[in-house]
Amino acid sequence: MSFFSKSLKPLFIVTGLFSLSLSALFSAHANEHENKHQHDKQHVHNERADVMVMNGYARATFALAKTGAVYFTLHNQSDSDKTLVSVSVAKEVADEAQIHTTVMEGDMMKMRELTEGVKIKPGEMVAFKSGGNHIMLLGLTKGLAEGSNIPITLSFDNGSELKLVLPVKKDEAKGHHHHH
Ligand SMILES: [Cu+2]
């Protein structure tokens, strides 16, 4: 019995520290993580861009949050490369929108701005999701309330723009067990 408690205790502490540092990391980015299941689709088609946006939404935040994340899948339906070069957000919502990616540095997950954008090859689908490429909203004016909508504009290298109004949704992964 005493052998058990001796050998189990250090393991427990290590696990606790790990999840603590993880949550500290993610809260810095308004929990830019999770959200795996989404069922309702929305298709916004723009003739000039020839890029379709699917499953777009912004993740709901707490009222005082300063950062938020937007996710969607882009489908290039044209026969030439398209690069998402920048994203802008309505001033009433946030100061700025950036294209981010998530990289591992050692055992740390970090966010990086993709200043050259994200290229989508003809016929290809690129998902912007938690733990990967995503759109980061910086300087939120009042957090993102579930059920509201946010206007954002995607700009492509050929000068075309996609104006979207995306729903704000709760992180569905929350309250569930973590699946890997
Ligand atoms: Cu980010």
Side-chain angles (χ1 to χ4, degrees):
M1 195 62 190
S2 65
F3 170 78
F4 260 117
S5 53
K6 257 186 188 165
S7 58
L8 282 179
K9 214 173 184 181
L11 183 71
F12 181 75
I13 290 167
V14 167
T15 322
L17 274 178
F18 179 68
S19 55
L20 229 173
S21 63
L22 257 188
S23 62
L25 229 182
F26 283 121
S27 66
H29 252 100
N31 255 317
E32 200 307 292
H33 185 57
E34 253 124 67
N35 222 325
K36 271 134 197 155
H37 317 281
Q38 20 167 330
H39 302 289
D40 40 333
K41 297 199 158 61
Q42 82 226 112
H43 296 243
V44 185
H45 190 68
N46 177 306
E47 291 301 320
R48 291 183 307 140
D50 275 328
V51 174
M52 197 158 84
V53 181
M54 297 176 293
N55 302 331
Y57 70 100
R59 189 174 49 207
T61 68
F62 61 98
L64 295 176
K66 284 293 155 200
T67 58
V70 174
Y71 305 117
F72 46 66
T73 297
L74 297 183
H75 184 191
N76 182 357
Q77 299 187 314
S78 76
D79 49 13
S80 59
D81 287 349
K82 293 280 182 293
T83 300
L84 175 68
V85 287
S86 66
V87 179
S88 62
V89 61
K91 270 277 170 276
E92 313 89 77
V93 176
D95 291 337
E96 195 186 348
Q98 294 182 349
I99 305 168
H100 275 196
T101 192
T102 310
V103 292
M104 290 301 290
E105 269 181 22
D107 53 0
M108 297 274 283
M109 258 179 137
K110 290 194 173 167
M111 313 269 185
R112 281 271 170 68
E113 186 180 7
L114 290 173
T115 49
E116 287 172 14
V118 175
K119 189 203 275 188
I120 311 144
K121 294 192 180 115
E124 198 178 55
M125 285 207 239
V126 173
F128 289 71
K129 58 186 185 201
S130 61
N133 293 349
H134 56 276
I135 306 304
M136 197 100 245
L137 302 179
L138 303 169
L140 290 177
T141 54
K142 55 179 164 67
L144 300 175
E146 186 184 13
S148 61
N149 293 289
I150 61 159
I152 68 167
T153 302
L154 313 187
S155 301
F156 293 87
D157 57 334
N158 63 350
S160 64
E161 289 186 335
L162 275 177
K163 290 184 190 301
L164 311 172
V165 177
L166 297 180
V168 176
K169 295 196 214 170
K170 257 213 175 107
D171 188 343
E172 288 165 38
K174 245 172 212 160
H176 290 246
H177 286 291
H178 219 93
H179 297 288
H180 290 278

